[in-house]
């Protein structure tokens, strides 16, 4: 998907919602556990319920890989279902890959050639040669980890060099020269608040993938105040707040209501921006 197509979709749908597909067997409705592939059944119902309200889906590979072959089958079935039934939705494989160049090339083949997703999350720690293999694919995206919201992010991301530049700012500054606003976006945690404004000082025009709204306590209004651009420039992710709005047989209806509520808030923000 091109940037132009993504922006058009956002304004057409008045939504920049990304639904995280993080299926946890211990939280799923019990009646689905009798299905041949409970995770796929759960994802399919969530997708059908939330598709009108979002523009993107982000399956987190950890929730699939931890189940071995059956989990990866569920991932592949989920991606295929999206591509067949909702081909205009943006698909992000949240895999957080990043390795030496030849290995990254294989990861890129896996996600872009085999699965055909639109984007993959990539860790920048190993530098340019670990990222550029993902950037060689036309109309595909690298989503680079920049400023995350976990407690451990304080160990490295906010440390300063002698000239006062914080590490996340250096990651943004240097990596922005590897790709373009058309093939690279950044992960920036919603719970960082005003730090999003500092991110925008370095990368004013790149899309930001922003997790942490909802269950993690991030504020949608604050994210938009500091991070929104003239073409939106945001994909705001919600996972648990939508997926587990109910653990009963009405889980899909509850997910739809939660997604609809976020979309209505987004529509109002877009109209007033």
């Amino acid at each position: 998907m091109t940037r132009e197509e993504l922006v058009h979709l956002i304004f057409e749908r008045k939504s920049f919602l990304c639904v995280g597909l993080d299926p946890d067997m211990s939280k799923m409705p019990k009646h689905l556990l009798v299905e041949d592939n409970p995770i796929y059944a759960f994802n399919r119902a969530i997708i059908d319920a939330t598709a009108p309200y979002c523009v993107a889906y982000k399956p987190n590979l950890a929730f699939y890989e931890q189940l071995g072959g059956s989990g990866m089958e569920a991932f592949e079935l989920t991606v295929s279902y999206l591509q067949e039934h909702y081909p205009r939705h943006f698909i992000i494989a949240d895999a957080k890959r990043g390795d030496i160049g030849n290995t990254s090339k294989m990861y890129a083949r896996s996600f872009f050639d085999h699965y055909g997703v639109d984007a993959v999350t990539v860790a920048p720690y190993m530098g340019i040669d670990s990222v550029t293999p993902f950037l060689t694919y036309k109309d595909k995206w690298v989503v680079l980890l920049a400023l995350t919201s976990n407690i451990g992010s304080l160990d490295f991301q906010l440390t300063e060099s002698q000239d006062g530049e914080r590490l996340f700012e250096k990651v943004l500054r240097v990596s922005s020269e590897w790709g373009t606003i058309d093939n690279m976006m950044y992960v920036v945690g919603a719970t960082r608040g005003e730090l999003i404004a500092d991110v925008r000082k370095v990368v004013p025009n790149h899309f930001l993938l922003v997790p942490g709204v909802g269950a993690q306590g991030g504020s949608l209004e604050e994210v938009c105040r500091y991070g929104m651009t003239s073409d939106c420039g945001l994909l705001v992710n919600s996972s648990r707040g939508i997926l587990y709005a109910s653990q009963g047989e009405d889980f899909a209806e509850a997910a739809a209501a939660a997604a609809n509520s976020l979309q209505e808030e987004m529509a109002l923000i877009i109209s007033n921006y």
Side-chain angles (χ1 to χ4, degrees), residues 55-272:
V55 296
Y57 288 96
K58 183 178 70 64
N60 184 325
L61 268 292
F63 288 85
Y64 303 87
E65 291 172 340
Q66 56 107 9
L67 293 172
S70 65
M72 290 310 296
E73 179 186 29
F75 171 74
E76 187 157 11
L77 287 169
T78 298
V79 170
S80 295
Y81 187 77
L82 282 167
Q83 291 166 338
E84 180 179 355
H85 296 277
Y86 303 99
R88 295 185 66 208
H89 282 69
F90 192 75
I91 306 173
I92 304 167
D94 190 2
K96 299 179 181 69
R97 300 300 195 247
D99 208 325
I100 60 172
N102 188 54
T103 306
S104 283
K105 184 177 180 181
M106 298 301 110
Y107 282 136
R109 282 185 183 176
S110 172
F111 290 108
F112 294 148
D113 286 336
H114 181 70
Y115 294 116
V117 299
D118 295 293
V120 61
T121 56
V122 176
Y125 187 76
M126 292 182 69
I128 185 170
D129 59 309
S130 69
V131 176
T132 49
F134 296 94
L135 294 168
T136 61
Y137 287 80
K138 181 177 173 59
D139 299 334
K140 301 293 186 180
W141 294 74
V142 164
V143 187
L144 205 69
L145 299 175
L147 183 61
T148 58
S149 55
N150 60 303
I151 294 173
S153 66
L154 299 174
D155 293 339
F156 298 115
Q157 294 170 25
L158 297 182
T159 57
E160 295 185 10
S161 64
Q162 289 184 341
D163 61 4
E165 183 179 46
R166 288 165 292 186
L167 182 58
F168 80 87
E169 293 169 316
K170 182 174 183 178
V171 168
L172 292 166
R173 176 176 57 80
V174 174
S175 65
S176 66
E177 299 177 0
W178 303 343
T180 71
I181 63 171
D182 296 313
N183 66 2
M184 183 176 283
M185 61 179 75
Y186 293 97
V187 176
V188 178
T191 56
R192 289 307 186 194
E194 67 275 7
L195 285 179
I196 296 174
D198 294 334
V199 169
R200 279 296 183 217
K201 291 175 185 176
V202 187
V203 287
N205 298 312
H206 285 72
F207 260 84
L208 306 181
L209 172 64
V210 185
V213 167
Q216 295 183 50
S219 162
L220 179 62
E221 185 278 328
E222 193 171 66
V223 166
C224 294
R225 182 179 356 130
Y226 293 119
M228 185 168 274
T229 64
S230 60
D231 59 1
C232 186
L234 297 171
L235 289 175
V236 170
N237 183 79
S238 178
S239 299
R240 285 171 288 172
I242 291 175
L243 298 187
Y244 308 117
S246 169
Q247 292 179 284
E249 294 194 9
D250 66 339
F251 75 99
E253 291 85 354
N260 186 25
S261 178
L262 274 173
Q263 184 273 326
E264 288 180 345
E265 191 175 351
M266 290 176 175
L268 185 61
I269 291 170
I270 287 175
S271 65
N272 291 333

